[in-house]
Amino acid sequence: MTALDWWVIGAYLLAMLALAAWLGRSQYSEREYYLGGGLPAPALATSILATQCSTNSLLGAPAFVGFAAGGGMLWLQYELAVPLAMLGLAFLFPAVHRSGVISIYAFLEQRIGRAARLTASASFLFFRGIATGVTVYGVASVLSLITGIGYIPAVAMLMGATISYDVMGGMRAVVVSDVLQMLLLIAAVVVSLIWLAPDLWEQADALAQRSHPLVNDWGLSGETNFGFWPMLFGGLFLYMAYYGCDQSQAQRLLAASNERDLNKILVFNGLLRFPLVLAYCLLGLGLAAYALQRPEFIAELPVTASGAPNLNMVFPAFVLREFAPGLAGLAIVGLFAAAMSSIDSALNSLSASTLEDFMPANGPNTERRRFLQSKIVTLCWGVFAVGFSFSVEHIASTLLESINKVSSLINGPLLGLFIVAILLPGTRSSAAVVAFAVGIALNLALWKLMPEVSWLWWNLTGCIATLGLTALSVGAGKASDTVNAAIRSVNVPAGTYRSLLGGFFAMLALLVIAQLYL
């Protein structure tokens, strides 16, 4: 990287800090700090999308699509469940939004008791805290390789800026910076695709011969975790749990000014995530074509611990190899942006759950004191993430390999707990928590006793077990009456139905056409 590239990166980070200071100057309460105070729906929707499409996606998707054995455009089928999940949340989440909570887990206390709230919040804090530390480690490791600086300077640069603007500006700074970061990320991908278009055209036949069918396993044989049906049905419950029950995502839904804006956010994410992931996939094909034209390119990549080329580095290696000074810096800023948009929302949501669920307000001058506490708790979680990132490489590799599996152990039961709170309010908290624990136990049994069952199914089995056991404890007749009354109270706009179902069938049609002709 040249001095001009470093000036570009430095100017970007300073601009983010100045923006956060400006946005945070008028905040005086914890509600403003955590929910942003009337942010527009497009900005909130873009923030969620930016958090989803992180550095790991930008590096991992092209590597999988263009270079991994068994890869290809198979990645796209993972997105088919997203519009259906958004439609499910259009039914369920308005009740949560109307409750006026800051921590989504406070809704559980309102409906079924404090034990459910603390159980769910503690689960979130544990898994999201560890995942954030792992993310910091992974991103800082990549940035240190790209920039040529050591791991410690990379962590200091990434987290110094991210923690600072998060603490200063709260959710408003997170959302506004995410919008800017998404624009930078899209610009980097579009410029790269334009650059790679000639290679992609010339190598189209060679890529077609290497391509894999979009659906090469239905997921019922136990031969793969990523078959079509596990990704569709397991993915449906996974995405509903992640977008609707994980504070890091749901906090932006809670920040919507009204239910109309809430539906706009759901439709936006249900329809626009697919084309963004498609762009990542096309980038992977373009980089594969680039490598076919230049066989020495793969040999120049950094190597992994096993000595093999690190294929996750193909995009930054291409940028540094081909882009002019300054433009390369802008592309690297896109990687910074993707990383920061994931970490900032995690820190803000960890702070919100900690303060709201485990540090109840009391004493004089509560509002001002809570506002200051919110900043301090955010800072503490940032320090934790940095500290934990230094221990990641010394702990068992199974943690890194299994983090998605472990999260899936609780995703389904957590979604079941929220559905109980929405459809069966008044359920005894002890009964709901026991059902939650049984859902996790069932998934653990599947993991240990039936390893051939894809872990994506756990999102479905855990949710059904939690719902079924709770319904039994409530009584079939009472549960049926309560659920029917809750369903009748739901009023999802027809436009939301049409948009999300139309998006699903359009994606399905594209996948069928690609399966037949590619």
Side-chain angles (χ1 to χ4, degrees):
M1 290 178 60
T2 66
L4 180 58
D5 294 323
W6 280 111
W7 275 108
V8 170
I9 292 172
Y12 169 75
L13 295 178
L14 288 174
M16 288 293 100
L17 295 178
L19 178 65
W22 183 74
L23 291 171
R25 74 195 190 286
S26 59
Q27 290 181 342
Y28 300 102
S29 70
E30 63 179 312
R31 176 166 288 273
E32 288 178 327
Y33 184 79
Y34 288 129
L35 298 184
L39 290 163
L44 290 167
T46 304
S47 178
I48 295 174
L49 193 61
T51 300
Q52 291 291 307
C53 298
S54 64
T55 299
N56 291 335
S57 299
L58 182 57
L59 300 180
F64 177 86
V65 170
F67 300 91
M73 299 296 277
L74 177 69
W75 189 280
L76 280 178
Q77 76 175 14
Y78 298 176
E79 303 303 312
L80 197 58
V82 175
L84 296 181
M86 297 301 102
L87 185 57
L89 290 179
F91 276 96
L92 297 173
F93 205 85
V96 184
H97 186 269
R98 287 192 293 267
S99 68
V101 297
I102 294 176
S103 165
I104 189 173
Y105 309 112
F107 176 76
L108 295 176
E109 181 174 5
Q110 290 181 3
R111 294 294 189 107
I112 54 180
R114 186 162 180 78
R117 174 184 187 173
L118 296 182
T119 300
S121 183
S123 300
F124 164 75
L125 292 175
F126 178 77
F127 288 108
R128 184 58 54 201
I130 289 177
T132 303
V134 172
T135 299
V136 172
Y137 168 76
V139 172
S141 298
V142 169
L143 292 176
S144 68
L145 285 172
I146 296 170
T147 59
I149 62 178
Y151 178 77
I152 292 177
V155 170
M157 184 167 55
L158 171 68
M159 293 304 291
T162 305
I163 294 172
S164 296
Y165 80 68
D166 212 339
V167 169
M168 286 190 292
M171 179 56 72
R172 183 169 289 273
V174 168
V175 170
V176 173
S177 63
D178 281 354
V179 171
L180 297 175
Q181 289 160 355
M182 176 58 76
L183 294 175
L184 284 170
L185 181 60
I186 292 173
V189 172
V190 169
V191 170
S192 300
L193 285 173
I194 293 172
W195 197 295
L196 291 165
D199 291 330
L200 191 56
W201 179 262
E202 291 181 23
Q203 296 296 326
D205 291 338
L207 291 174
Q209 293 174 7
R210 292 172 46 184
S211 66
H212 304 275
L214 282 165
V215 180
N216 58 1
D217 192 291
W218 293 102
L220 302 177
S221 63
E223 295 178 1
T224 177
N225 283 319
F226 303 110
F228 180 81
W229 295 120
M231 283 309 308
L232 181 60
F233 289 107
L236 168 62
F237 283 78
L238 182 153
Y239 286 130
M240 285 182 65
Y242 186 46
Y243 280 97
C245 306
D246 188 301
Q247 178 73 17
S248 65
Q249 304 303 308
Q251 197 167 324
R252 263 73 61 87
L253 298 180
L254 293 173
S257 298
N258 49 56
E259 290 183 27
R260 182 179 178 185
D261 281 358
L262 173 63
N263 279 284
K264 288 180 181 178
I265 294 169
L266 295 174
V267 170
F268 184 99
N269 276 274
L271 299 183
L272 294 189
R273 183 171 143 146
F274 183 85
L276 184 59
V277 174
L278 176 60
Y280 282 4
C281 293
L282 292 176
L283 180 61
L285 292 180
L287 290 168
Y290 179 87
L292 287 174
Q293 291 277 82
R294 302 162 186 82
E296 74 282 1
F297 174 62
I298 298 298
E300 295 173 358
L301 292 175
V303 296
T304 63
S306 65
N310 187 344
L311 296 174
N312 288 321
M313 297 295 290
V314 289
F315 176 59
F318 159 75
V319 166
L320 295 176
R321 199 172 192 260
E322 295 290 343
F323 282 18
L327 188 57
L330 282 173
I332 300 304
V333 160
L335 291 173
F336 267 95
M340 294 164 76
S341 64
S342 297
I343 297 169
D344 59 10
S345 57
L347 296 181
N348 191 269
S349 62
L350 286 165
S351 173
S353 291
T354 303
L355 193 67
E356 295 294 318
D357 299 327
F358 294 95
M359 300 172 64
N362 55 65
N365 302 319
T366 298
E367 183 172 312
R368 180 63 180 171
R369 187 174 63 178
R370 296 284 287 181
F371 178 60
L372 294 176
Q373 286 176 340
S374 65
K375 291 176 176 286
I376 293 170
V377 175
T378 302
L379 175 62
C380 289
W381 274 110
V383 172
F384 170 83
V386 171
F388 186 80
S389 72
F390 282 92
S391 65
V392 168
E393 115 182 281
H394 303 294
I395 60 180
S397 62
T398 52
L399 174 62
L400 302 181
E401 295 167 0
S402 302
I403 194 165
N404 285 329
K405 281 188 176 182
V406 172
S407 296
S408 288
L409 288 174
I410 68 164
N411 280 337
L414 185 60
L415 177 61
L417 202 59
F418 272 91
I419 294 176
V420 167
I422 293 167
L423 299 183
L424 294 172
T427 299
R428 287 182 296 113
S429 187
S430 57
V433 171
V434 167
F436 174 78
V438 170
I440 295 175
L442 173 62
N443 286 341
L444 281 170
L446 289 173
W447 189 355
K448 297 300 181 182
L449 302 178
M450 301 180 67
E452 70 277 7
V453 175
S454 170
W455 55 266
L456 287 163
W457 287 117
W458 302 348
N459 299 284
L460 174 62
T461 56
C463 182
I464 291 176
T466 302
L467 290 174
L469 192 60
T470 305
L472 287 175
S473 70
V474 171
K478 181 179 178 182
S480 176
D481 293 341
T482 307
V483 169
N484 287 334
I487 291 175
R488 285 194 298 270
S489 69
V490 174
N491 183 25
V492 179
T496 301
Y497 274 116
R498 290 194 295 266
S499 298
L500 291 172
L501 286 177
F504 168 75
F505 285 114
M507 294 176 199
L508 184 62
L510 286 173
L511 292 178
V512 170
I513 292 170
Q515 180 78 8
L516 292 174
Y517 295 105
L518 293 184

